[in-house]
Amino acid sequence: MRTTPGTFPIRLKALPGEALDSWLEAFAHRLHTPLGDVLNDLGLLALEDGLAVGSSSTEMLTRRLSPVIAASIAQATGTPVAALHAMTLAHYDQRILDLDPRSGLPQSATRWGKSTGARFCTDCLAESGGRWQLAWRLGWSFACVRHNRLLADHCPQCRSRQRTRAPATREIPHPGHCPNTSSADGTGPGRRRCDADLAQAATPLLDADHPVLDAQRLVYAMTDSGTAAFGLYADHPQSVLGALADLRALVGEILLHAPRQSLADRLPADLPISTNAA
């Protein structure tokens, strides 16, 4: 079994803010090679702490990298170790997320809405050739402040959520297209990759001064600064983790007790209403 990776014949620079799994898939696409072969060439089929690393998904790698795995990828790709860690959710640990030390998943006290998977901006995917932003994995990411639109949740064709399951390692990735599989009756053999163009998903376009975009900018500003110093926190700044836990609890109470019509009367008319966000 190969444990020491060689050096890849090409270099592929990660885009600003790109997630690790997106970059690995883009590498495989560029090499026109199945994803599993790329993982093998990176030396990720070695055993570490009793775990077959290569059999885990790139989604798991995007949560947090061990020093051994990070060094292996860095050696093969020429990418600095610090840059690799910045492409994982560990980049947000103890700032906007409190990650479980074993699973790498966000702790429920600060998690908002989902613990796996990713939303996505259709315009960003179209412009980047299907590359995924790390921030889209955050439950607190719900809008693209560059393109002024809500992030999409599902594939426009098969209606499945994205980045919730291990990718097919025997296939060449098709960035920006749905990798989830299905069959004619939804079960049994003959399952095919959906492959729908995710950039075709329909999402609302918002005015630049829309309150949803203002809320998203505030969350990202807190993420960058590491401190909540707005509103009731202005005189007594708090950690982002504490402020987001407060906000999650408050919104949970609102969604639990407020009449649906009351919410509809207070929300902007161009927003779909969901009571499942918390």
Side-chain angles (χ1 to χ4, degrees):
M1 178 181 293
R2 183 180 183 180
T3 60
T4 303
T7 301
F8 276 23
I10 66 169
R11 292 288 184 266
L12 182 66
K13 187 175 181 179
L15 298 181
E18 186 173 11
L20 181 68
D21 55 352
S22 171
W23 177 66
L24 291 174
E25 290 167 9
F27 239 127
H29 180 77
R30 174 76 178 275
L31 293 169
H32 201 67
T33 302
L35 180 60
D37 290 350
V38 170
L39 296 179
N40 183 35
D41 289 342
L42 288 173
L44 301 187
L45 294 184
L47 290 177
E48 181 191 12
D49 295 331
L51 171 67
V53 176
S55 68
S56 64
S57 70
T58 52
E59 187 273 332
M60 292 181 67
L61 294 175
T62 304
R63 299 178 193 173
R64 178 186 282 128
L65 291 175
S66 72
V68 172
I69 294 176
S72 182
I73 298 175
Q75 178 180 335
T77 65
T79 304
V81 168
L84 294 172
H85 286 302
M87 286 190 276
T88 73
L89 289 178
H91 175 69
Y92 297 110
D93 194 20
Q94 299 309 307
R95 287 196 295 148
I96 195 171
L97 293 175
D98 183 12
L99 298 180
D100 182 273
R102 292 184 61 84
S103 69
L105 290 172
Q107 304 277 22
S108 60
T110 54
R111 189 176 69 228
W112 177 264
K114 61 187 181 64
S115 58
T116 60
R119 300 184 178 101
F120 55 95
C121 171
T122 54
D123 290 341
C124 286
L125 286 182
E127 291 178 359
S128 67
R131 311 281 282 271
W132 289 68
Q133 289 286 297
L134 177 66
W136 294 344
R137 303 187 88 90
L138 299 173
W140 295 98
S141 290
F142 44 82
C144 177
V145 297
R146 179 183 177 191
H147 295 106
N148 298 341
R149 67 168 64 249
L150 289 182
L151 300 183
D153 282 295
H154 302 91
C155 168
Q157 181 167 289
C158 69
R159 304 303 301 167
S160 61
R161 292 177 59 197
Q162 300 298 302
R163 309 273 160 171
T164 60
R165 63 187 73 173
T169 56
R170 296 182 181 180
E171 297 181 352
I172 299 172
H174 193 178
H177 289 245
C178 179
N180 294 331
T181 57
S182 63
S183 60
D185 61 358
T187 61
R191 298 176 68 83
R192 298 180 180 179
R193 184 164 60 182
C194 171
D195 207 39
D197 183 358
L198 296 173
Q200 298 304 310
T203 58
L205 185 64
L206 308 173
D207 293 333
D209 60 351
H210 198 283
V212 165
L213 296 176
D214 289 340
Q216 186 67 89
R217 293 187 190 101
L218 178 60
V219 170
Y220 287 157
M222 287 194 296
T223 303
D224 292 338
S225 68
T227 303
F230 64 93
L232 60 86
Y233 303 113
D235 295 331
H236 303 283
Q238 301 292 319
S239 71
V240 178
L241 286 175
L244 292 180
D246 291 345
L247 182 58
R248 182 180 185 273
L250 175 62
V251 174
E253 288 297 310
I254 292 173
L255 292 176
L256 180 62
H257 298 292
R260 186 177 179 86
Q261 186 57 49
S262 178
L263 290 176
D265 292 341
R266 287 167 172 77
L267 289 174
D270 54 354
L271 286 183
I273 300 175
S274 173
T275 58
N276 297 320

